[in-house]
Amino acid sequence: MHAHAAPSHLSAEMRRYAALDQRLLAAVRAIRILATISWPASVEERLIAEFGAGRLSIPDIRYRPPDLGETRAELEAIEAEVDEDHPIAEYLRRTVESWRIATLMLDAAGTNGVTEASIALYGKPGDAIPGSNRSNLDAARYFVNLADELGADLDTEDATGSIPAEELRQDMSERLDAFFAPGTISVEVDPELTAKAAAGATRIRLRGGVRFTEYDRHQLLAHEAFVHSLTALNGREQPVLASLARTSPRVTATQEGLAVFAELMSGAIDISRLKRISLRILAIDMALNGADFVDVFRYFRDCGQNVADSFHSTQRVFRGVPLTGGSAFAKDNVYLSGLLAVHTFFRWALRQRRLDLLRNLFAGKLALHDVMSLEAHFESGDIVAPRYLPPWMQHVHGLAGKLAFSLFVNHIHMAGVEAEEISLGL
């Protein structure tokens, strides 16, 4: 992250916030959440081979927690300096607090302390969906059942990948050069990557040795490039809050929710993808309720995922925690809760004719709450409007049409179901 002096036209108050924000960025540089708790690719490969041969055992994974004592002390000092009642002070407080919890989580790597801290940051499957009496767990079960009714076959779909990583790299590079500017974002193949892809502001990595599907191609562009990288690039343009270029733990739900919502709006999501996301949430719930690594691996296999995918999915649930049951890393909980919250926010903003709020959501790594609370600072120019918007956001009429249609269909569907239940005396 490049440090930059606050522009001279800013007020003394904004310059103070910009300086505190730079301190925040410098402090959190040492915090690498996923890097600290991910397993080395070589270990994964060995274990996948063993599991594939039917030798299922609870792996022995050791973590080397970083020493984040100084980082935490600095975060606490910043937090003490922004105790006034001001929207940007509040943004800084919330952001600092989420990073502070992250330091406690990483200190606890390999213990159940990671479970508690990750739930504090990302929520848990049993949490209610905002504005609803249903939980994430209900939503996850709904999508899994729907996928099964529609005959989503995860195993055969995984086997259909025919695009080598290098070919996808070249194709994505061309599209990104055309959209942003040549060389703005580089695409690389990384054989050590656990996920299929990972995105930063100026670099997207693809997992080496994997064959990607046509669907992956669209999904990675919509999700990684046109949300994760795009919001990071817009965040880099910010005169006061440079931290908007970096994903703090508290904005993860909105960022991942927005990225999955982007897949939905650009037609790059299919029911199998929703099933996978939902299975991970059900698996987190199982692990919290006592299932161990082998139990959860078997669950993914029973749900139709192949050995390698089942292993990767299980590993996501158990990153950084004991593998013997009762513990889980809760981050994957946010994909569905975030999607539902973002979907609700978009419908609300369109109904209020507040497209400005929707555009502002892309100005950096923001939570939904920030878009509302920082509204006056978008108006004053302390926070600048996004330079880039995803392709699907540039056609607001199409967006409104899709959402209006889904809203109407929901009403018919739900009213119909309720009428049926009443007539059946349920």
Side-chain angles (χ1 to χ4, degrees), residues 46-317:
R46 193 192 77 236
L47 287 166
I48 287 170
E50 284 181 18
F51 274 59
R55 292 195 297 281
L56 308 188
S57 61
I58 292 177
D60 179 21
I61 306 288
R62 304 286 164 90
Y63 297 96
R64 284 198 296 278
D67 180 7
L68 295 170
E70 278 180 28
T71 301
R72 193 157 48 246
E74 170 68 342
L75 289 172
E76 284 164 0
I78 297 167
E79 205 167 355
E81 283 195 43
V82 285
D83 61 352
E84 67 271 28
D85 183 18
H86 185 285
I88 289 186
E90 187 220 14
Y91 161 85
L92 288 168
R93 267 199 309 278
R94 283 172 174 249
T95 304
V96 166
E97 185 198 17
S98 82
W99 282 116
R100 187 174 54 72
I101 295 170
T103 65
L104 295 169
M105 178 168 78
L106 297 181
D107 279 354
T111 75
N112 204 35
V114 171
T115 303
E116 291 159 44
S118 74
I119 287 173
L121 292 174
Y122 309 119
K124 61 180 187 300
D127 292 345
I129 296 160
S132 150
N133 55 1
R134 304 280 176 91
S135 70
N136 274 340
L137 219 44
D138 295 326
R141 289 192 189 110
Y142 171 80
F143 287 122
V144 170
N145 291 338
L146 185 63
D148 292 343
E149 274 177 39
L150 296 173
D153 184 343
L154 301 184
D155 211 4
T156 54
E157 285 165 15
D158 288 329
T160 55
S162 59
I163 306 166
E166 181 50 42
E167 187 185 315
L168 183 61
R169 185 199 68 74
Q170 211 168 338
D171 178 56
M172 279 184 83
S173 289
E174 285 166 15
R175 295 204 195 191
L176 297 182
D177 283 353
F179 184 84
F180 294 101
T184 306
I185 299 176
S186 67
V187 186
E188 298 168 11
V189 175
D190 179 356
E192 282 288 304
L193 197 62
T194 306
K196 263 191 174 172
T202 57
R203 180 174 74 137
I204 292 176
R205 291 176 297 152
L206 303 172
R207 185 159 91 209
V210 180
R211 288 192 170 269
F212 293 86
T213 63
E214 200 50 50
Y215 164 70
D216 288 332
R217 187 200 298 261
H218 296 301
Q219 188 248 325
L220 293 175
L221 271 171
H223 184 111
E224 305 292 347
F226 294 141
V227 173
H228 290 328
S229 296
L230 177 145
T231 50
L233 286 168
N234 286 336
R236 288 187 162 199
E237 312 259 325
Q238 293 301 335
V240 179
L241 297 175
S243 60
L244 288 176
R246 176 123 199 226
T247 308
S248 66
R250 74 176 193 88
V251 302
T252 306
T254 299
Q255 288 302 304
E256 294 301 351
L258 193 54
V260 180
F261 182 75
E263 296 175 43
L264 202 60
M265 288 297 112
S266 47
I269 199 162
D270 64 5
I271 193 69
S272 301
R273 164 94 169 137
L274 277 173
K275 180 177 178 178
R276 277 170 211 285
I277 289 170
S278 300
L279 287 176
R280 289 185 208 153
I281 290 167
L282 296 174
I284 290 171
D285 189 61
M286 282 176 64
L288 290 174
N289 284 311
D292 67 20
F293 190 92
V294 171
D295 297 328
V296 172
F297 171 81
R298 285 199 174 111
Y299 172 69
F300 283 117
R301 287 291 287 135
D302 291 344
C303 290
Q305 290 189 193
N306 64 30
V307 170
D309 267 354
S310 296
F311 190 90
H312 285 303
S313 296
T314 309
Q315 183 258 339
R316 289 179 73 112
V317 173

Side-chain angles (χ1 to χ4, degrees), residues 355-372:
L355 294 174
D356 55 321
L357 293 175
L358 297 181
R359 289 192 199 100
N360 289 348
L361 195 49
F362 293 91
K365 306 282 184 185
L366 293 148
L368 293 175
H369 169 87
D370 300 328
V371 179
M372 309 292 292

Side-chain angles (χ1 to χ4, degrees), residues 383-399:
I383 301 175
V384 297
R387 178 174 167 189
Y388 303 108
L389 285 174
W392 55 272
M393 262 300 288
Q394 294 167 22
H395 313 292
V396 152
H397 295 298
L399 180 67

